[in-house]
Amino acid sequence: MTIEDIKFVQNFKKITNDAWLKGWHERNGGNITYRLTEEEAVAAKKFINEGSAYTPIGVTVKNLANDYFLVTGSGKFIRNMTVCLEENAGIIKVDEKGENYKIVWGLINGARPTSEITSHLMSHSIKKEKTNGAYRVIMHSHTTNTIALTFVLPLDGKVFTRQLWEMATECPVVFPGGIGIVPWMVPGGAAIAEETGKLMNDHDVVIWAHHGMFCAGESLDLTFGLMDTVEKSAEILVKVLSMGGKKQTITSQNFRDLGKAFKVHISEDYLD
Ligand code: 13P
Ligand code: ZN
């Protein structure tokens, strides 16, 4: 048996391959992190080496103390995760204080966790708190149509949410919490992590202007599905705008009726 026989590792490889096939991960673009359950950490234990040195996270994530995460590597290509996982991804463990992490499996030959590890762990920390531990996945992808829209629409979460909800009937059911927008920022550090974290308090989808998307979810499947739904809606909007814009659309009252029928709270913040 190898670590790759454990189910969460297989799921991780499947999602990385699916995301690559979607065209969201040119070169080393994008990164994915998964918080292991206690049972998964026990199953992985015999492959884990706790001896490596700690690295500062850049923010404090106290509620992630002693948690393990499967993470993609910095500069590594998402398309290569299924080719050789231990070269391109690894498992990290957060220390007692929630201030440092160490590599305990994989990321061989001097590889490091994704340069967006601070944004990932900050978002994990907020979602773990908000969902009582249910959310385990953060996914960052360079989704083409969503990025394109950040050059055209105002960088306002309410506008993005309403416009994308209108493009596919089930969108408000899939992301009732709407979308947060981070204006263009330098990627890869504590500043963008803090801004992303603030928006993760209220949203499962955060768009980084002119860069990509961050999605949070319970499972790898649900997080992938969320990313896919938002990006498909963005693709429809790009097409609609390219055809001269909307001539008719889903109305605020339609959304209220949808909310009732699907028993989902559709916030009036996004309706008129
Ligand atoms: P990494 O290769 O360090 O994961 O960075 C890719 C990326 O998308 C940065 O935002
Ligand atoms: Zn990126």
Side-chain angles (χ1 to χ4, degrees), residues 31-231:
N31 23 75
I32 306 174
T33 57
Y34 170 77
R35 182 167 56 83
L36 277 63
T37 64
E38 273 175 35
E39 297 74 40
E40 287 163 345
V42 169
K45 201 149 189 82
K46 59 173 172 284
F47 307 101
I48 277 174
N49 171 10
E50 300 265 358
S52 70
Y54 278 110
T55 303
I57 294 167
V59 291
T60 303
V61 284
K62 224 170 169 69
N63 66 336
L64 302 183
N66 300 315
D67 277 348
Y68 292 86
F69 294 84
L70 179 53
V71 306
T72 55
S74 186
K76 302 299 182 185
F77 297 12
I78 295 291
R79 65 185 283 257
N80 286 338
M81 296 299 153
T82 52
V83 177
C84 181
L85 196 67
E86 64 177 350
E87 266 178 21
N88 296 294
I91 296 177
I92 60 167
K93 182 183 185 184
V94 175
D95 72 357
E96 299 276 346
K97 293 187 191 154
E99 287 176 358
N100 303 283
Y101 70 81
K102 63 181 176 182
I103 298 166
V104 297
W105 176 84
L107 292 168
I108 60 170
N109 305 324
R112 303 295 309 163
T114 171
S115 58
E116 304 294 2
I117 195 67
T118 316
S119 285
H120 279 254
L121 293 179
M122 187 83 208
S123 300
H124 274 292
S125 171
I126 285 156
K127 288 302 185 189
K128 185 180 180 187
E129 168 81 24
K130 287 250 154 194
T131 68
N132 244 330
Y135 275 35
R136 298 192 168 274
V137 181
I138 300 292
M139 180 168 185
H140 165 56
S141 302
H142 292 179
T143 39
T144 315
N145 295 283
T146 309
I147 296 168
L149 288 175
T150 66
F151 292 91
V152 175
L153 294 184
L155 297 177
D156 174 339
K158 278 194 182 171
V159 174
F160 266 79
T161 301
R162 179 61 190 264
Q163 292 298 312
L164 292 177
W165 276 6
E166 283 182 34
M167 292 302 113
T169 290
E170 291 183 10
C171 277
V173 178
V174 178
F175 51 102
I179 294 172
I181 308 276
V182 175
W184 188 89
M185 287 183 78
V186 174
I192 198 166
E194 300 277 3
E195 291 310 308
T196 307
K198 281 182 207 159
L199 292 167
M200 281 287 177
N201 276 301
D202 298 315
H203 310 284
D204 287 347
V205 183
V206 174
I207 293 171
W208 285 1
H210 321 321
H211 183 148
M213 206 184 333
F214 258 75
C215 286
E218 245 177 82
S219 65
L220 288 158
D221 252 347
L222 285 169
T223 313
F224 177 89
L226 176 59
M227 181 81 69
D228 198 11
T229 305
V230 177
E231 175 58 5

